Amino acid sequence: MKTFITVIACLLWVSVAAPSHARNIKTVGSGPTINFDPAMIPLEHQESYQIMGKKCTTCHGMDRIVLTILTGKAQVTKQPFDREQAAGYGIRLIRMHNTGLKKEEIRDVIRMLQWLIDEKNKH
Ligand code: HEC
């Protein structure tokens, strides 16, 4: 019984603690226009941040991107979305037609997302 209670307590703790992992990722706005706070994006990724805001929202909202990073899960399938998944998605996107994005732009935006994923997993 004691073990059972400990297990439940741990599960509760994990479920409460999990969202706080995303606390070091700051966001601005809400709803479909939510975005990562530009102030927390390092200089080397600022250009990608601009590209993302302009070109990554033709097929889905920014919320899809931000929520995927914050939760670590793809929004429809609920499959894990980590560094590797991000790379795989980048390849899918490069292969998609009429994205309006250059291969290098996709690569650099994905690198920024991977930086954000690392940042989220730090604490
Ligand atoms: C041509 C349309 C299109 C453009 C442009 C586009 N996406 Fe997507 N995106 C999709 C589709 C379709 C899916 C869901 C299916 C999949 O994962 O392939 C998706 C899924 C995603 C996901 C995974 C989360 C999820 O809920 O499945 C992320 C993250 C994402 N997009 C980020 C981006 C970023 C960053 C860019 C800009 C570099 C971008 N998208 C540009 C069509 C697009």
Side-chain angles (χ1 to χ4, degrees):
M1 189 60 190
K2 211 171 176 185
T3 320
F4 179 70
I5 291 171
T6 313
V7 168
I8 295 294
C10 285
L11 285 176
L12 282 176
W13 182 79
V14 167
S15 63
V16 171
S20 74
H21 281 196
R23 241 184 245 157
N24 48 336
I25 304 285
K26 296 196 172 58
T27 57
V28 289
S30 61
T33 59
I34 189 169
N35 203 343
F36 303 108
D37 183 353
M40 70 162 294
I41 304 292
L43 205 55
E44 56 171 316
H45 294 301
Q46 282 290 336
E47 202 182 325
S48 302
Y49 180 83
Q50 297 300 325
I51 292 169
M52 179 171 71
K54 281 190 207 118
K55 299 190 171 184
C56 294
T57 52
T58 49
C59 306
H60 48 66
M62 263 313 297
D63 54 341
R64 181 149 183 177
I65 304 172
V66 174
L67 294 178
T68 298
I69 301 301
L70 293 184
T71 61
K73 286 190 169 64
Q75 296 307 290
V76 177
T77 60
K78 303 289 171 210
Q79 291 300 304
F81 194 93
D82 52 20
R83 279 187 135 264
E84 233 173 285
Q85 301 300 315
Y89 174 72
I91 292 166
R92 280 207 299 288
L93 197 56
I94 287 170
R95 290 187 182 143
M96 265 187 234
H97 295 288
N98 306 319
T99 57
L101 282 138
K102 292 193 195 99
K103 194 176 165 184
E104 294 72 28
E105 291 176 326
I106 294 173
R107 183 197 61 201
D108 291 349
V109 173
I110 295 295
R111 279 188 186 157
M112 177 183 63
L113 293 186
Q114 291 178 325
W115 178 83
L116 283 157
I117 291 167
D118 289 347
E119 206 54 23
K120 189 195 73 144
N121 293 335
K122 256 186 196 168
H123 302 285

